[in-house]
Amino acid sequence: MNLHAINSLTKYPSIPTHHRMDPQGKGGLLEEPTIFTGPVIGTEKVDGTNGRIIVLPSGTWLIGSREDLLTASGDIVHNTALGVVDALRPVAESAATMVAGGFSEILVLYLEVYGSRRLPAWKQYGCGEAAYRLFDVASVPAGMLSWEVERIASWRQNGGQEFAAEPVLGDLAARCDLALTPRLFEIDGGDLPSDIEGMRAFMEAYRGTRVATSGEPGLNEGIVLRAPDRSVISKARFQDYDRTLQRREGQR
């Protein structure tokens, strides 16, 4: 296997902030929201770390973090970074079995691994037990494995990856017996507040996590906003809005 190609083909892209980040503002937001022209699905942004499960048409599976491949089927030694492999190995084995023979392309499952004591926000979710939620799925033509890494990187950075629309994502989650990140609401894009202050007030109703594994639920990281066909996606993080509004208050 060309591991460099597999890694590059399946990396998850950065999600843009819902209000554009000010390049001169040290993390502040601008009054320039992402435009949704139809329905918007709001999902919980769980505060953990990205993991990915890559299933090849042959049935071979690999597990990666956001940047690196950590292990593959048949490995007896794996990278222990952030507990991703320990959490996702059973999922990878099950997913490879469930989709065996059903896909001619590379299938990539993107999951948020959270709650582990190895992660900074673990106390928001329970007693330190690792858990996971599926948040996206992509398919990649297997023939692209022969591409040069530079060509793959250009393809990915220019939005070449194809992610599953909401109905397909739900079907694959059910097929692999995986829970999705919580669906918080579905509204028309025109009903989203356009200004920063209004958006922060809107978000407050969804401040608590829906995925605590035990104890009193803590706070989540924010909301991911996505069109049902996944053509538009953005993230609204509480820390970005709070930082921006605090700076405004300090400048008065």
Side-chain angles (χ1 to χ4, degrees), residues 205-216:
Y206 309 101
R207 189 69 174 102
T209 181
R210 271 75 167 173
V211 296
T213 58
S214 63
E216 185 70 21

Side-chain angles (χ1 to χ4, degrees), residues 53-190:
I53 295 172
I54 305 152
V55 183
L56 305 182
S58 63
T60 298
W61 55 260
L62 304 94
I63 295 175
S65 61
R66 187 182 194 105
E67 293 296 329
D68 303 303
L69 299 178
L70 304 177
T71 194
S73 48
D75 283 354
I76 59 174
V77 177
H78 66 264
N79 188 318
T80 60
L82 300 176
V84 172
V85 173
D86 292 334
L88 296 185
R89 185 188 293 275
V91 184
E93 293 172 346
S94 176
T97 300
M98 293 297 295
V99 305
F103 288 85
S104 59
E105 298 189 331
I106 301 167
L107 181 68
V108 193
L109 310 179
Y110 297 96
L111 304 98
E112 192 74 13
V113 178
Y114 68 96
S116 165
R117 290 177 183 269
R118 300 184 185 186
L119 299 167
W122 70 270
K123 290 183 179 179
Q124 304 298 330
Y125 300 100
C127 61
E129 178 183 356
Y132 47 81
R133 288 291 182 114
L134 181 69
F135 65 86
D136 253 323
V137 169
S139 58
V140 180
M144 294 179 68
L145 288 172
S146 64
W147 286 16
E148 296 293 330
V149 173
E150 293 77 10
R151 183 184 178 190
I152 293 171
S154 176
W155 164 84
R156 189 186 69 250
Q157 290 163 5
N158 287 284
Q161 291 164 305
E162 294 187 9
F163 292 91
E166 184 72 7
V168 177
L169 178 61
D171 288 346
L172 281 168
R175 185 171 177 178
C176 295
D177 194 26
L178 290 170
L180 293 170
T181 48
R183 270 49 192 158
L184 305 176
F185 57 81
E186 183 170 351
I187 61 175
D188 186 84

Side-chain angles (χ1 to χ4, degrees), residues 3 43 51 58-59 64 79-80 142 169 174 183 200 202 222 225 235 246:
L3 296 179
T43 70
S58 63
N79 188 318
T80 60
L169 178 61
R183 270 49 192 158
R200 177 60 182 85
F202 171 84
L225 303 157
K235 63 185 177 187
Q246 288 167 5

